[in-house]
Amino acid sequence: MRAARRVAESGFYHVVTRGNGKQIIFESDDDRAAFVKLLKECTNAEGVSVIAWCLMDNHVHIILLDPDGRLSEVMRTLLTRYANRFNARTGHVGHVFQERFYSEAIESDRQLLAAVRYVHLNPEKGGLCTADKYRWSSYSEYVGSESAQLARTEIVLDMLQGPEGFISLIRESGDACAYVPRFGLMDEADALTVATDALLAAGLCAPGDVKGLSKPRRNKAIVVLSELGFSIRRIERVTGVGRGTIAYVLRREREKLSDE
């Protein structure tokens, strides 16, 4: 049974959709332009606003403001229309996207800014180019160099006092760098990537090295992964630490919090 999507009280969501089997979903700039056009049409039709976006070769990041609970309708229409176009153009048969898109509820201004930063840094993380040089994201809209607006940039820019604040956000280091989306529906490969990002951001190590850490640092790693929404079983799979130990560490952590 699929877990129900968490509803954001704020209306903000970080959404990710990937190619089926991580296949390439954009083979050309024409494909990317078509997806952007469809994204604009589908969100406008449902009263949903795009806050930020970034198209990579085999996946897409979008931050949406969905005040009326239309997220599933928007994504279903968008992905179906794009998949039909892609298959008709390429002769591909079958699913273009993974069966279900990921979504994370965003509930604070800090989380929203960190998510916006994370989305725009994807090209750098992927080794393509710096965020400001990447064409297929909303970066240029935020700095005022893009006339055809897709993103509602004013929400974030008002929080950052304008484009210069946005540029500083993208380039800054510190707490915002530690943001990692907490997608509970990840496959094992994605889970390992997310776990690695989170542990390294916390000053620890790769998941496979957690077992060799000192007990305090090992316990910290377990808590970090638990806070990402990882189950005990998934923490065991990515770290190799026994589930009994993980359960004990998390129980002690809950006891500590209840005593405070």
Side-chain angles (χ1 to χ4, degrees):
M1 180 181 294
R2 290 177 174 177
R5 295 190 186 279
R6 181 183 167 198
V7 176
E9 293 183 8
S10 67
F12 289 100
Y13 295 89
H14 180 179
V15 176
V16 177
T17 186
R18 299 183 184 278
N20 190 36
K22 298 190 177 180
Q23 75 171 50
I24 298 296
I25 53 178
F26 303 116
E27 295 185 346
S28 67
D29 283 351
D30 285 345
D31 283 346
R32 296 179 180 87
F35 187 92
V36 169
K37 180 175 182 290
L38 289 172
L39 175 60
K40 186 171 186 177
E41 291 175 359
C42 293
T43 51
N44 285 347
E46 297 290 350
V48 174
S49 298
V50 177
I51 303 302
W53 58 275
C54 182
L55 311 187
M56 302 296 284
D57 286 345
N58 66 356
H59 68 283
V60 176
H61 287 268
I62 316 169
I63 297 177
L64 297 173
L65 174 58
D66 173 31
D68 300 318
R70 306 300 294 170
L71 174 63
S72 292
E73 288 77 4
V74 167
M75 294 305 297
R76 181 166 53 247
T77 303
L78 169 63
L79 300 185
T80 298
R81 290 179 64 184
Y82 181 79
N84 289 341
R85 176 195 179 277
F86 183 88
N87 285 345
R89 184 185 66 75
T90 64
H92 176 270
V93 177
H95 294 293
V96 174
F97 295 96
Q98 284 183 352
E99 185 176 357
R100 199 179 190 204
F101 64 90
Y102 307 143
S103 65
E104 178 184 41
I106 295 174
E107 297 292 14
S108 69
D109 289 351
R110 181 180 180 278
Q111 190 183 8
L112 175 61
L113 293 178
V116 167
R117 182 178 188 274
Y118 180 93
V119 166
H120 287 105
L121 285 175
N122 252 248
E124 293 189 22
K125 181 181 175 184
L128 299 178
C129 60
T130 57
D132 60 309
K133 301 297 183 184
Y134 193 63
R135 177 181 176 188
W136 295 104
S137 81
S138 48
Y139 187 100
S140 62
E141 298 178 60
Y142 272 91
V143 298
S145 58
E146 179 60 64
S147 57
Q149 287 281 325
L150 169 60
R152 277 189 61 187
T153 59
E154 71 275 9
I155 294 173
V156 170
L157 290 179
D158 284 350
M159 297 166 65
L160 296 171
Q161 288 78 54
E164 290 303 319
F166 170 79
I167 294 170
S168 296
L169 173 73
I170 302 302
R171 296 268 60 91
E172 76 177 6
S173 60
D175 288 346
C177 299
Y179 171 80
V180 180
R182 297 187 289 184
F183 299 119
L185 303 173
M186 291 178 289
D187 61 26
E188 291 306 306
D190 290 331
L192 184 60
T193 298
V194 168
T196 300
D197 287 347
L199 293 175
L200 293 178
L204 295 166
C205 62
D209 297 326
V210 168
K211 285 179 67 175
L213 293 175
S214 65
K215 187 176 293 186
R217 288 173 63 78
R218 180 203 66 188
N219 294 353
K220 179 181 178 182
I222 290 170
V223 170
V224 167
L225 295 178
S226 177
E227 289 177 346
L228 288 175
F230 281 31
S231 65
I232 290 175
R233 181 174 296 180
R234 175 158 274 178
I235 296 172
E236 179 186 36
R237 286 200 296 265
V238 300
T239 65
V241 177
R243 69 180 65 182
T245 299
I246 297 167
Y248 175 77
V249 169
L250 296 179
R251 185 170 63 250
R252 289 293 303 272
E253 185 68 18
R254 287 193 297 271
E255 291 171 354
K256 283 167 51 181
L257 290 174
S258 65
D259 290 341
E260 292 178 354

